[in-house]
Amino acid sequence: MTSLPEKLAEISRTAGVRSAYGDPVQVDGVTLIPVALVYYGFGGGEGDSAATGTGSGGGGGGASLPIGAYVKSGTTVRFEPNVISLLSVGIPFLWVAGKAISRIIRALKR
């Protein structure tokens, strides 16, 4: 069984630019390069309690959100956003920001 640091090192080697940018795809003379927002998180813990014994643990995870693609046609390159993904991230963000701003304004009025 591999140790946690070895496992994290193995996983982090595969993270990087290749995770965010997909392999180019050729469609009818147009090159598409998919782009994603990728993030990872890891954590670990260890405890020692006389009442319950000892314990340790760890975990990790990640997510990928497709945000669009670079489209190369001839000599021009443009970014085509994935509107549905951007809305699925943008709407909750704006809601939380709006709630925070309204609370700040309400607190300043007091």
Side-chain angles (χ1 to χ4, degrees), residues 35-37 64-68 81-92:
V35 181
L37 175 66
S64 176
L65 179 70
I67 60 172
N82 181 346
V83 178
I84 294 172
S85 286
L86 294 176
L87 286 174
S88 70
V89 171
I91 290 172

Side-chain angles (χ1 to χ4, degrees), residues 8 11 17 20 22 36-37 40 45-46 55 57 69 71 81 85 94-95 97 103 108:
L8 291 175
I11 291 170
V17 174
L37 175 66
Y40 299 94
E46 190 169 323
V71 180
S85 286
L94 290 174
W95 182 81
R103 287 185 179 187
L108 291 174

Side-chain angles (χ1 to χ4, degrees), residues 8-26:
L8 291 175
E10 178 185 326
I11 291 170
S12 65
R13 274 190 222 112
T14 62
V17 174
R18 303 264 314 146
S19 298
Y21 297 96
D23 294 327
V25 178
Q26 295 281 336

Side-chain angles (χ1 to χ4, degrees), residues 100-110:
I101 290 171
S102 69
R103 287 185 179 187
I104 291 170
I105 292 171
R106 194 175 318 135
L108 291 174
K109 285 183 176 181
R110 292 182 186 169

Side-chain angles (χ1 to χ4, degrees), residues 50-86:
T52 61
T54 62
S56 63
S64 176
L65 179 70
I67 60 172
Y70 283 106
V71 180
K72 180 181 178 194
S73 178
T75 58
T76 61
V77 177
R78 68 184 187 282
F79 181 75
E80 291 288 330
N82 181 346
V83 178
I84 294 172
S85 286
L86 294 176

